[in-house]
Amino acid sequence: MAVLVLPLLAVTGILSVAWTVGVGDRCGGPLPGCGSLRNAGDNPVTVREVTDQTVTHVIVPAGQRVLLGGSSNELHVEAGQCLLVEGGPFWDARTVIDRTAETTGMSHPIVDWGARVQLHHDACPEWS
């Protein structure tokens, strides 16, 4: 009997702690924390993190990963650039933001799941 009860209590305790941490989460997402961002490209990207009235810019070098800290996080894509984003719970939701023919840039939000991104200073490569 103890062989079944002790693992059940351990699992219940872990789930309770995870749920409690998630309730007070300032990002309000499906997981505790604000997600992470992996720069899978060759160029650094800048993440704009906003928490309450504080704005912070974090530069993520090529090949690096950071934990996102803002209650909202976004990347800015300048005119002439292309941003490839893989987001969602399994990083399989793909988005291409092609600003290579545009005269203005735009911002793209990164949700609490986080994302894997690639920034290009020219035309978007073919996505395989």
Side-chain angles (χ1 to χ4, degrees), residues 88-118:
F90 302 106
W91 288 7
D92 60 350
R94 295 179 176 173
T95 304
V96 176
I97 301 163
D98 188 354
R99 304 303 290 174
T100 54
E102 302 298 326
T103 58
T104 61
M106 66 174 286
S107 294
H108 179 71
I110 303 298
V111 298
D112 299 339
W113 291 111
R116 178 176 30 237
V117 301
Q118 295 179 33

PDB file of all heavy atoms in Angstrom, residues 88-118:
ATOM      1  N   GLY A  88       4.756  28.921 -29.915  1.00  0.00           N
ATOM      2  CA  GLY A  88       3.775  27.942 -29.456  1.00  0.00           C
ATOM      3  C   GLY A  88       4.389  26.949 -28.493  1.00  0.00           C
ATOM      4  O   GLY A  88       5.587  26.982 -28.227  1.00  0.00           O
ATOM      5  N   PRO A  89       3.582  26.061 -27.952  1.00  0.00           N
ATOM      6  CA  PRO A  89       4.075  25.141 -26.928  1.00  0.00           C
ATOM      7  C   PRO A  89       5.167  24.198 -27.414  1.00  0.00           C
ATOM      8  O   PRO A  89       6.008  23.767 -26.639  1.00  0.00           O
ATOM      9  CB  PRO A  89       2.828  24.368 -26.503  1.00  0.00           C
ATOM     10  CG  PRO A  89       1.839  24.574 -27.580  1.00  0.00           C
ATOM     11  CD  PRO A  89       2.175  25.875 -28.235  1.00  0.00           C
ATOM     12  N   PHE A  90       5.196  23.884 -28.695  1.00  0.00           N
ATOM     13  CA  PHE A  90       6.219  22.996 -29.237  1.00  0.00           C
ATOM     14  C   PHE A  90       7.115  23.710 -30.244  1.00  0.00           C
ATOM     15  O   PHE A  90       7.854  23.076 -30.979  1.00  0.00           O
ATOM     16  CB  PHE A  90       5.569  21.773 -29.886  1.00  0.00           C
ATOM     17  CG  PHE A  90       4.714  21.006 -28.933  1.00  0.00           C
ATOM     18  CD1 PHE A  90       3.336  21.057 -29.012  1.00  0.00           C
ATOM     19  CD2 PHE A  90       5.291  20.250 -27.922  1.00  0.00           C
ATOM     20  CE1 PHE A  90       2.534  20.373 -28.119  1.00  0.00           C
ATOM     21  CE2 PHE A  90       4.501  19.553 -27.025  1.00  0.00           C
ATOM     22  CZ  PHE A  90       3.127  19.610 -27.116  1.00  0.00           C
ATOM     23  N   TRP A  91       7.030  25.048 -30.282  1.00  0.00           N
ATOM     24  CA  TRP A  91       7.771  25.896 -31.208  1.00  0.00           C
ATOM     25  C   TRP A  91       7.548  25.436 -32.641  1.00  0.00           C
ATOM     26  O   TRP A  91       8.449  25.434 -33.469  1.00  0.00           O
ATOM     27  CB  TRP A  91       9.249  25.931 -30.858  1.00  0.00           C
ATOM     28  CG  TRP A  91       9.555  26.721 -29.622  1.00  0.00           C
ATOM     29  CD1 TRP A  91       8.649  27.254 -28.763  1.00  0.00           C
ATOM     30  CD2 TRP A  91      10.828  27.065 -29.116  1.00  0.00           C
ATOM     31  NE1 TRP A  91       9.288  27.903 -27.746  1.00  0.00           N
ATOM     32  CE2 TRP A  91      10.628  27.800 -27.930  1.00  0.00           C
ATOM     33  CE3 TRP A  91      12.115  26.821 -29.531  1.00  0.00           C
ATOM     34  CZ2 TRP A  91      11.666  28.297 -27.167  1.00  0.00           C
ATOM     35  CZ3 TRP A  91      13.156  27.317 -28.767  1.00  0.00           C
ATOM     36  CH2 TRP A  91      12.944  28.044 -27.604  1.00  0.00           C
ATOM     37  N   ASP A  92       6.308  25.058 -32.942  1.00  0.00           N
ATOM     38  CA  ASP A  92       5.975  24.600 -34.286  1.00  0.00           C
ATOM     39  C   ASP A  92       5.019  25.551 -35.012  1.00  0.00           C
ATOM     40  O   ASP A  92       4.648  25.308 -36.144  1.00  0.00           O
ATOM     41  CB  ASP A  92       5.394  23.191 -34.256  1.00  0.00           C
ATOM     42  CG  ASP A  92       4.127  23.109 -33.423  1.00  0.00           C
ATOM     43  OD1 ASP A  92       3.797  24.084 -32.713  1.00  0.00           O
ATOM     44  OD2 ASP A  92       3.457  22.064 -33.467  1.00  0.00           O
ATOM     45  N   ALA A  93       4.620  26.636 -34.347  1.00  0.00           N
ATOM     46  CA  ALA A  93       3.779  27.655 -34.986  1.00  0.00           C
ATOM     47  C   ALA A  93       4.720  28.652 -35.666  1.00  0.00           C
ATOM     48  O   ALA A  93       5.370  29.451 -35.005  1.00  0.00           O
ATOM     49  CB  ALA A  93       2.906  28.343 -33.944  1.00  0.00           C
ATOM     50  N   ARG A  94       4.812  28.590 -36.985  1.00  0.00           N
ATOM     51  CA  ARG A  94       5.785  29.391 -37.726  1.00  0.00           C
ATOM     52  C   ARG A  94       5.176  30.689 -38.244  1.00  0.00           C
ATOM     53  O   ARG A  94       4.071  30.703 -38.755  1.00  0.00           O
ATOM     54  CB  ARG A  94       6.335  28.584 -38.895  1.00  0.00           C
ATOM     55  CG  ARG A  94       7.123  27.392 -38.428  1.00  0.00           C
ATOM     56  CD  ARG A  94       7.642  26.596 -39.585  1.00  0.00           C
ATOM     57  NE  ARG A  94       8.475  25.514 -39.087  1.00  0.00           N
ATOM     58  CZ  ARG A  94       8.963  24.578 -39.841  1.00  0.00           C
ATOM     59  NH1 ARG A  94       8.716  24.567 -41.134  1.00  0.00           N
ATOM     60  NH2 ARG A  94       9.708  23.633 -39.322  1.00  0.00           N
ATOM     61  N   THR A  95       5.962  31.752 -38.112  1.00  0.00           N
ATOM     62  CA  THR A  95       5.559  33.060 -38.607  1.00  0.00           C
ATOM     63  C   THR A  95       6.734  33.671 -39.356  1.00  0.00           C
ATOM     64  O   THR A  95       7.861  33.623 -38.866  1.00  0.00           O
ATOM     65  CB  THR A  95       5.160  33.994 -37.444  1.00  0.00           C
ATOM     66  OG1 THR A  95       4.137  33.378 -36.676  1.00  0.00           O
ATOM     67  CG2 THR A  95       4.688  35.333 -37.949  1.00  0.00           C
ATOM     68  N   VAL A  96       6.469  34.233 -40.520  1.00  0.00           N
ATOM     69  CA  VAL A  96       7.491  34.942 -41.291  1.00  0.00           C
ATOM     70  C   VAL A  96       7.071  36.402 -41.356  1.00  0.00           C
ATOM     71  O   VAL A  96       5.975  36.717 -41.822  1.00  0.00           O
ATOM     72  CB  VAL A  96       7.630  34.356 -42.717  1.00  0.00           C
ATOM     73  CG1 VAL A  96       8.628  35.169 -43.526  1.00  0.00           C
ATOM     74  CG2 VAL A  96       8.032  32.895 -42.657  1.00  0.00           C
ATOM     75  N   ILE A  97       7.935  37.285 -40.884  1.00  0.00           N
ATOM     76  CA  ILE A  97       7.671  38.717 -40.933  1.00  0.00           C
ATOM     77  C   ILE A  97       8.693  39.316 -41.892  1.00  0.00           C
ATOM     78  O   ILE A  97       9.858  39.501 -41.548  1.00  0.00           O
ATOM     79  CB  ILE A  97       7.765  39.349 -39.540  1.00  0.00           C
ATOM     80  CG1 ILE A  97       6.764  38.666 -38.629  1.00  0.00           C
ATOM     81  CG2 ILE A  97       7.519  40.847 -39.619  1.00  0.00           C
ATOM     82  CD1 ILE A  97       6.999  38.891 -37.183  1.00  0.00           C
ATOM     83  N   ASP A  98       8.259  39.555 -43.109  1.00  0.00           N
ATOM     84  CA  ASP A  98       9.139  40.016 -44.171  1.00  0.00           C
ATOM     85  C   ASP A  98       8.960  41.520 -44.355  1.00  0.00           C
ATOM     86  O   ASP A  98       7.956  41.981 -44.887  1.00  0.00           O
ATOM     87  CB  ASP A  98       8.821  39.266 -45.463  1.00  0.00           C
ATOM     88  CG  ASP A  98       9.820  39.547 -46.564  1.00  0.00           C
ATOM     89  OD1 ASP A  98      10.705  40.414 -46.366  1.00  0.00           O
ATOM     90  OD2 ASP A  98       9.723  38.916 -47.617  1.00  0.00           O
ATOM     91  N   ARG A  99       9.942  42.296 -43.920  1.00  0.00           N
ATOM     92  CA  ARG A  99       9.892  43.754 -44.049  1.00  0.00           C
ATOM     93  C   ARG A  99      10.905  44.241 -45.080  1.00  0.00           C
ATOM     94  O   ARG A  99      11.251  45.410 -45.110  1.00  0.00           O
ATOM     95  CB  ARG A  99      10.184  44.427 -42.700  1.00  0.00           C
ATOM     96  CG  ARG A  99       9.279  44.005 -41.557  1.00  0.00           C
ATOM     97  CD  ARG A  99       7.831  44.222 -41.823  1.00  0.00           C
ATOM     98  NE  ARG A  99       7.482  45.628 -41.834  1.00  0.00           N
ATOM     99  CZ  ARG A  99       6.289  46.098 -42.159  1.00  0.00           C
ATOM    100  NH1 ARG A  99       5.330  45.272 -42.500  1.00  0.00           N
ATOM    101  NH2 ARG A  99       6.046  47.365 -42.155  1.00  0.00           N
ATOM    102  N   THR A 100      11.402  43.328 -45.927  1.00  0.00           N
ATOM    103  CA  THR A 100      12.469  43.703 -46.859  1.00  0.00           C
ATOM    104  C   THR A 100      12.015  44.717 -47.895  1.00  0.00           C
ATOM    105  O   THR A 100      12.824  45.493 -48.378  1.00  0.00           O
ATOM    106  CB  THR A 100      13.061  42.458 -47.564  1.00  0.00           C
ATOM    107  OG1 THR A 100      11.998  41.729 -48.182  1.00  0.00           O
ATOM    108  CG2 THR A 100      13.766  41.561 -46.578  1.00  0.00           C
ATOM    109  N   ALA A 101      10.750  44.730 -48.234  1.00  0.00           N
ATOM    110  CA  ALA A 101      10.255  45.685 -49.233  1.00  0.00           C
ATOM    111  C   ALA A 101       9.520  46.861 -48.581  1.00  0.00           C
ATOM    112  O   ALA A 101       8.952  47.691 -49.281  1.00  0.00           O
ATOM    113  CB  ALA A 101       9.320  44.973 -50.213  1.00  0.00           C
ATOM    114  N   GLU A 102       9.540  46.938 -47.253  1.00  0.00           N
ATOM    115  CA  GLU A 102       8.787  47.973 -46.542  1.00  0.00           C
ATOM    116  C   GLU A 102       9.693  49.136 -46.143  1.00  0.00           C
ATOM    117  O   GLU A 102      10.906  48.995 -46.047  1.00  0.00           O
ATOM    118  CB  GLU A 102       8.143  47.376 -45.286  1.00  0.00           C
ATOM    119  CG  GLU A 102       7.227  46.207 -45.571  1.00  0.00           C
ATOM    120  CD  GLU A 102       6.035  46.570 -46.437  1.00  0.00           C
ATOM    121  OE1 GLU A 102       5.514  47.696 -46.320  1.00  0.00           O
ATOM    122  OE2 GLU A 102       5.618  45.714 -47.238  1.00  0.00           O
ATOM    123  N   THR A 103       9.089  50.287 -45.903  1.00  0.00           N
ATOM    124  CA  THR A 103       9.843  51.471 -45.482  1.00  0.00           C
ATOM    125  C   THR A 103       9.808  51.681 -43.976  1.00  0.00           C
ATOM    126  O   THR A 103      10.508  52.541 -43.458  1.00  0.00           O
ATOM    127  CB  THR A 103       9.287  52.726 -46.172  1.00  0.00           C
ATOM    128  OG1 THR A 103       7.907  52.859 -45.849  1.00  0.00           O
ATOM    129  CG2 THR A 103       9.478  52.635 -47.679  1.00  0.00           C
ATOM    130  N   THR A 104       8.989  50.908 -43.288  1.00  0.00           N
ATOM    131  CA  THR A 104       8.910  51.018 -41.826  1.00  0.00           C
ATOM    132  C   THR A 104       9.072  49.638 -41.203  1.00  0.00           C
ATOM    133  O   THR A 104       8.833  48.616 -41.836  1.00  0.00           O
ATOM    134  CB  THR A 104       7.554  51.598 -41.382  1.00  0.00           C
ATOM    135  OG1 THR A 104       6.515  50.719 -41.815  1.00  0.00           O
ATOM    136  CG2 THR A 104       7.325  52.977 -41.941  1.00  0.00           C
ATOM    137  N   GLY A 105       9.458  49.636 -39.967  1.00  0.00           N
ATOM    138  CA  GLY A 105       9.567  48.390 -39.221  1.00  0.00           C
ATOM    139  C   GLY A 105       8.268  48.090 -38.493  1.00  0.00           C
ATOM    140  O   GLY A 105       7.281  48.817 -38.625  1.00  0.00           O
ATOM    141  N   MET A 106       8.269  47.009 -37.748  1.00  0.00           N
ATOM    142  CA  MET A 106       7.105  46.650 -36.942  1.00  0.00           C
ATOM    143  C   MET A 106       7.555  45.790 -35.775  1.00  0.00           C
ATOM    144  O   MET A 106       8.661  45.250 -35.775  1.00  0.00           O
ATOM    145  CB  MET A 106       6.053  45.901 -37.764  1.00  0.00           C
ATOM    146  CG  MET A 106       6.503  44.532 -38.258  1.00  0.00           C
ATOM    147  SD  MET A 106       5.199  43.599 -39.070  1.00  0.00           S
ATOM    148  CE  MET A 106       4.210  43.091 -37.694  1.00  0.00           C
ATOM    149  N   SER A 107       6.706  45.661 -34.773  1.00  0.00           N
ATOM    150  CA  SER A 107       7.010  44.826 -33.617  1.00  0.00           C
ATOM    151  C   SER A 107       6.199  43.544 -33.682  1.00  0.00           C
ATOM    152  O   SER A 107       5.077  43.530 -34.182  1.00  0.00           O
ATOM    153  CB  SER A 107       6.678  45.567 -32.317  1.00  0.00           C
ATOM    154  OG  SER A 107       7.537  46.669 -32.179  1.00  0.00           O
ATOM    155  N   HIS A 108       6.787  42.470 -33.175  1.00  0.00           N
ATOM    156  CA  HIS A 108       6.115  41.170 -33.135  1.00  0.00           C
ATOM    157  C   HIS A 108       6.152  40.656 -31.701  1.00  0.00           C
ATOM    158  O   HIS A 108       7.231  40.515 -31.119  1.00  0.00           O
ATOM    159  CB  HIS A 108       6.798  40.172 -34.067  1.00  0.00           C
ATOM    160  CG  HIS A 108       6.174  38.821 -34.046  1.00  0.00           C
ATOM    161  ND1 HIS A 108       4.934  38.577 -34.599  1.00  0.00           N
ATOM    162  CD2 HIS A 108       6.583  37.651 -33.524  1.00  0.00           C
ATOM    163  CE1 HIS A 108       4.622  37.298 -34.424  1.00  0.00           C
ATOM    164  NE2 HIS A 108       5.612  36.722 -33.776  1.00  0.00           N
ATOM    165  N   PRO A 109       4.980  40.377 -31.099  1.00  0.00           N
ATOM    166  CA  PRO A 109       4.972  39.896 -29.709  1.00  0.00           C
ATOM    167  C   PRO A 109       5.491  38.458 -29.604  1.00  0.00           C
ATOM    168  O   PRO A 109       5.301  37.657 -30.514  1.00  0.00           O
ATOM    169  CB  PRO A 109       3.497  39.971 -29.320  1.00  0.00           C
ATOM    170  CG  PRO A 109       2.753  39.881 -30.610  1.00  0.00           C
ATOM    171  CD  PRO A 109       3.634  40.514 -31.645  1.00  0.00           C
ATOM    172  N   ILE A 110       6.130  38.172 -28.505  1.00  0.00           N
ATOM    173  CA  ILE A 110       6.559  36.818 -28.161  1.00  0.00           C
ATOM    174  C   ILE A 110       5.721  36.403 -26.964  1.00  0.00           C
ATOM    175  O   ILE A 110       5.790  37.025 -25.904  1.00  0.00           O
ATOM    176  CB  ILE A 110       8.058  36.764 -27.808  1.00  0.00           C
ATOM    177  CG1 ILE A 110       8.906  37.299 -28.958  1.00  0.00           C
ATOM    178  CG2 ILE A 110       8.463  35.347 -27.426  1.00  0.00           C
ATOM    179  CD1 ILE A 110       8.797  36.509 -30.242  1.00  0.00           C
ATOM    180  N   VAL A 111       4.903  35.378 -27.141  1.00  0.00           N
ATOM    181  CA  VAL A 111       3.991  34.952 -26.080  1.00  0.00           C
ATOM    182  C   VAL A 111       4.742  34.179 -25.006  1.00  0.00           C
ATOM    183  O   VAL A 111       5.932  33.890 -25.142  1.00  0.00           O
ATOM    184  CB  VAL A 111       2.830  34.101 -26.653  1.00  0.00           C
ATOM    185  CG1 VAL A 111       2.005  34.918 -27.623  1.00  0.00           C
ATOM    186  CG2 VAL A 111       3.358  32.853 -27.313  1.00  0.00           C
ATOM    187  N   ASP A 112       4.028  33.817 -23.943  1.00  0.00           N
ATOM    188  CA  ASP A 112       4.642  33.168 -22.782  1.00  0.00           C
ATOM    189  C   ASP A 112       5.248  31.809 -23.089  1.00  0.00           C
ATOM    190  O   ASP A 112       6.029  31.289 -22.297  1.00  0.00           O
ATOM    191  CB  ASP A 112       3.624  33.038 -21.656  1.00  0.00           C
ATOM    192  CG  ASP A 112       3.129  34.395 -21.206  1.00  0.00           C
ATOM    193  OD1 ASP A 112       3.823  35.395 -21.451  1.00  0.00           O
ATOM    194  OD2 ASP A 112       2.048  34.457 -20.615  1.00  0.00           O
ATOM    195  N   TRP A 113       4.890  31.200 -24.213  1.00  0.00           N
ATOM    196  CA  TRP A 113       5.527  29.937 -24.588  1.00  0.00           C
ATOM    197  C   TRP A 113       6.973  30.172 -24.989  1.00  0.00           C
ATOM    198  O   TRP A 113       7.770  29.251 -25.019  1.00  0.00           O
ATOM    199  CB  TRP A 113       4.794  29.282 -25.754  1.00  0.00           C
ATOM    200  CG  TRP A 113       3.434  28.772 -25.424  1.00  0.00           C
ATOM    201  CD1 TRP A 113       2.256  29.278 -25.869  1.00  0.00           C
ATOM    202  CD2 TRP A 113       3.093  27.654 -24.588  1.00  0.00           C
ATOM    203  NE1 TRP A 113       1.205  28.543 -25.371  1.00  0.00           N
ATOM    204  CE2 TRP A 113       1.689  27.549 -24.582  1.00  0.00           C
ATOM    205  CE3 TRP A 113       3.847  26.746 -23.850  1.00  0.00           C
ATOM    206  CZ2 TRP A 113       1.022  26.570 -23.869  1.00  0.00           C
ATOM    207  CZ3 TRP A 113       3.178  25.764 -23.131  1.00  0.00           C
ATOM    208  CH2 TRP A 113       1.783  25.688 -23.140  1.00  0.00           C
ATOM    209  N   GLY A 114       7.304  31.417 -25.371  1.00  0.00           N
ATOM    210  CA  GLY A 114       8.633  31.701 -25.874  1.00  0.00           C
ATOM    211  C   GLY A 114       8.714  31.428 -27.358  1.00  0.00           C
ATOM    212  O   GLY A 114       7.704  31.180 -28.015  1.00  0.00           O
ATOM    213  N   ALA A 115       9.923  31.468 -27.904  1.00  0.00           N
ATOM    214  CA  ALA A 115      10.077  31.270 -29.346  1.00  0.00           C
ATOM    215  C   ALA A 115      11.530  31.001 -29.706  1.00  0.00           C
ATOM    216  O   ALA A 115      12.444  31.321 -28.950  1.00  0.00           O
ATOM    217  CB  ALA A 115       9.579  32.493 -30.106  1.00  0.00           C
ATOM    218  N   ARG A 116      11.686  30.428 -30.876  1.00  0.00           N
ATOM    219  CA  ARG A 116      12.996  30.295 -31.519  1.00  0.00           C
ATOM    220  C   ARG A 116      12.930  31.249 -32.709  1.00  0.00           C
ATOM    221  O   ARG A 116      11.984  31.198 -33.497  1.00  0.00           O
ATOM    222  CB  ARG A 116      13.220  28.855 -31.972  1.00  0.00           C
ATOM    223  CG  ARG A 116      14.528  28.638 -32.677  1.00  0.00           C
ATOM    224  CD  ARG A 116      14.811  27.193 -33.052  1.00  0.00           C
ATOM    225  NE  ARG A 116      13.642  26.398 -33.332  1.00  0.00           N
ATOM    226  CZ  ARG A 116      13.330  25.258 -32.694  1.00  0.00           C
ATOM    227  NH1 ARG A 116      14.095  24.798 -31.739  1.00  0.00           N
ATOM    228  NH2 ARG A 116      12.247  24.575 -33.022  1.00  0.00           N
ATOM    229  N   VAL A 117      13.923  32.146 -32.843  1.00  0.00           N
ATOM    230  CA  VAL A 117      13.862  33.182 -33.866  1.00  0.00           C
ATOM    231  C   VAL A 117      15.146  33.237 -34.687  1.00  0.00           C
ATOM    232  O   VAL A 117      16.206  32.804 -34.234  1.00  0.00           O
ATOM    233  CB  VAL A 117      13.592  34.573 -33.245  1.00  0.00           C
ATOM    234  CG1 VAL A 117      12.290  34.585 -32.477  1.00  0.00           C
ATOM    235  CG2 VAL A 117      14.734  35.010 -32.357  1.00  0.00           C
ATOM    236  N   GLN A 118      15.003  33.787 -35.886  1.00  0.00           N
ATOM    237  CA  GLN A 118      16.138  34.081 -36.767  1.00  0.00           C
ATOM    238  C   GLN A 118      15.878  35.439 -37.400  1.00  0.00           C
ATOM    239  O   GLN A 118      14.816  35.649 -37.983  1.00  0.00           O
ATOM    240  CB  GLN A 118      16.266  33.047 -37.879  1.00  0.00           C
ATOM    241  CG  GLN A 118      16.598  31.656 -37.430  1.00  0.00           C
ATOM    242  CD  GLN A 118      16.684  30.715 -38.618  1.00  0.00           C
ATOM    243  OE1 GLN A 118      17.085  31.103 -39.701  1.00  0.00           O
ATOM    244  NE2 GLN A 118      16.295  29.476 -38.404  1.00  0.00           N
TER     245      GLN A 118
END
